[in-house]
Amino acid sequence: MEMTSLLFLLCAGVCCTAALSRLRQFHLKKTTTLEWTEAQDFCRKNYTDLVTLYNEEESKQLIQLKTSHSSYKAWIGLHRKEYSLKWSNGNIVNDTAWLPLPNPCTEPMCSAILRDNTTWENCTEQKYFMCYRKGSGDSFLIGQNMTWYKAQSYCRENYTDLVSIRNEGQKEKVKNKGMNSTTPYWIGLLYDDWEWSDGGRSAYRDWSTEYGPNYYYPQAGENHTVLQLGILTVGNGGNEDYTLCSEGKLPKRNIVKLLLIGMKDCYSIWIIAWSRGLNSALPFYSLHLSGQTHCKLTCDHAGSTRL
């Protein structure tokens, strides 16, 4: 039996809120062959639950961890439930504001807007999209055609996320920003029947495309998922030798200790976080964790970060 642990600070680019609430330890566990429900039971008994993925950086790092231990696939927490609305940034959705909803179908649907009209489209279609930046609240119409999933990653890398709309005032601002568009553009609203085992409000769906454009995920009738080079669906009764579990959530406080190796001192971490931004700095050091060095990450009430 084999186990590898990894400590992550999952940072959404905003300190002391979403970032600190998702400080967890991940465990890649090799066991006897398990079905998904058995893997879920194993994680809940020994840790907290199966892994929830929140962003592309986290997905890439877990793929690296898995690959470094010769694991081809590993169970994760995404599984089919009832259809529901999700904002990409995790905000709670006012369902009645988006009626009528599309008829439940096999393929996930995403929301696109053109002036006063809201449409529901297959999330794999290519469209313009609108990002927003937290803090200023500004929205930006991006004139590049991408799937909803790729648009989500683009917005998270360059801004904060796909735009969400919580009231009529925000809806008017989004409409005004998109006034020059002649085609519907993606916003951050997803309608699908997938949920995470631990109840995490994550709309991140890195569905695999490695088998070509004519074979895409999620597949009908396959209700559980594994992480490979992306997320693959697996039919009932599928078995895997590896499971990705997560453990723990950070209490709501403004100071956390990060365990780091490969760094000579905290100053070098500060330089990386300052020059790259905390979120993009994480891939540099989160794969090098040990008990050699302790740094303290502090966030003030304004949301700035210092070490």
Side-chain angles (χ1 to χ4, degrees):
M1 191 173 286
E2 179 182 316
M3 185 269 286
T4 300
S5 298
L6 181 62
L7 184 66
F8 270 147
L9 176 63
L10 305 181
C11 187
V14 182
C15 192
C16 294
T17 53
L20 297 192
S21 68
R22 294 205 294 268
L23 182 65
R24 298 168 293 157
Q25 189 170 12
F26 290 166
H27 303 269
L28 175 64
K29 191 76 175 182
K30 183 176 182 180
T31 64
T32 56
T33 301
L34 299 177
E35 295 184 7
W36 186 89
T37 52
E38 294 172 325
Q40 182 189 53
D41 289 342
F42 172 84
C43 290
R44 289 178 172 179
K45 179 180 178 181
N46 295 281
Y47 304 104
T48 300
D49 213 318
L50 285 161
V51 156
T52 293
L53 300 176
Y54 284 92
N55 52 55
E56 185 176 12
E57 290 86 359
E58 180 181 347
S59 178
K60 287 180 178 179
Q61 292 193 21
L62 288 177
I63 289 170
Q64 289 179 24
L65 174 69
K66 185 171 55 65
T67 303
S68 68
H69 289 78
S70 303
S71 170
Y72 183 57
K73 294 181 292 184
W75 289 122
I76 58 173
L78 194 62
H79 64 128
R80 283 192 197 269
K81 295 281 283 186
E82 296 179 356
Y83 272 84
S84 63
L85 292 169
K86 298 104 175 167
W87 283 116
S88 178
N89 64 3
N91 284 346
I92 295 174
V93 184
N94 177 6
D95 291 12
T96 58
W98 300 96
L99 297 176
L101 297 176
N103 293 325
C105 58
T106 300
E107 298 171 347
M109 305 293 281
C110 293
S111 181
I113 284 182
L114 180 61
R115 300 184 179 91
D116 290 325
N117 297 319
T118 300
T119 61
W120 292 97
E121 312 283 352
N122 188 308
C123 302
T124 60
E125 291 189 16
Q126 305 268 338
K127 294 184 181 297
Y128 289 2
F129 53 96
M130 188 169 287
C131 308
Y132 81 99
R133 179 168 286 131
K134 192 173 179 69
S136 67
D138 292 337
S139 300
F140 305 86
L141 180 65
I142 309 300
Q144 300 180 43
N145 285 313
M146 294 188 186
T147 68
W148 188 90
Y149 307 112
K150 293 298 183 184
Q152 181 190 58
S153 294
Y154 179 95
C155 289
R156 290 178 173 184
E157 182 179 347
N158 295 282
Y159 298 93
T160 297
D161 211 323
L162 283 165
V163 71
S164 64
I165 299 172
R166 303 185 69 177
N167 53 54
E168 286 300 317
Q170 288 181 344
K171 191 170 187 178
E172 282 301 313
K173 289 181 180 179
V174 168
K175 285 165 51 179
N176 291 337
K177 287 287 187 177
M179 192 62 69
N180 293 329
S181 179
T182 58
T183 60
Y185 50 88
W186 294 127
I187 60 172
L189 195 57
L190 169 69
Y191 185 62
D192 71 1
D193 56 345
W194 292 91
E195 302 285 349
W196 294 95
S197 178
D198 66 357
R201 290 205 307 269
S202 171
Y204 181 71
R205 308 282 190 267
D206 183 24
W207 297 116
S208 176
T209 58
E210 62 189 282
Y211 294 104
N214 297 322
Y215 193 86
Y216 55 87
Y217 292 94
Q219 290 285 303
E222 297 182 347
N223 299 327
H224 303 115
T225 57
V226 294
L227 184 63
Q228 190 172 311
L229 296 180
I231 299 175
L232 280 68
T233 52
V234 177
N236 293 337
N239 296 278
E240 299 295 336
D241 294 330
Y242 283 88
T243 299
L244 280 164
C245 303
S246 64
E247 183 176 20
K249 290 184 178 180
L250 186 74
K252 293 182 178 179
R253 60 180 182 265
N254 287 351
I255 298 177
V256 297
K257 288 185 178 179
L258 299 180
L259 227 49
L260 308 166
I261 108 176
M263 308 290 166
K264 293 184 178 179
D265 51 41
C266 293
Y267 178 75
S268 60
I269 303 298
W270 187 88
I271 292 297
I272 294 165
W274 180 263
S275 62
R276 301 187 187 181
L278 184 60
N279 194 40
S280 59
L282 285 170
F284 181 78
Y285 61 75
S286 60
L287 287 178
H288 306 282
L289 300 171
S290 174
Q292 295 182 10
T293 306
H294 288 77
C295 293
K296 184 162 63 177
L297 177 70
T298 306
C299 307
D300 61 28
H301 294 293
S304 62
T305 306
R306 60 184 183 275
L307 281 162

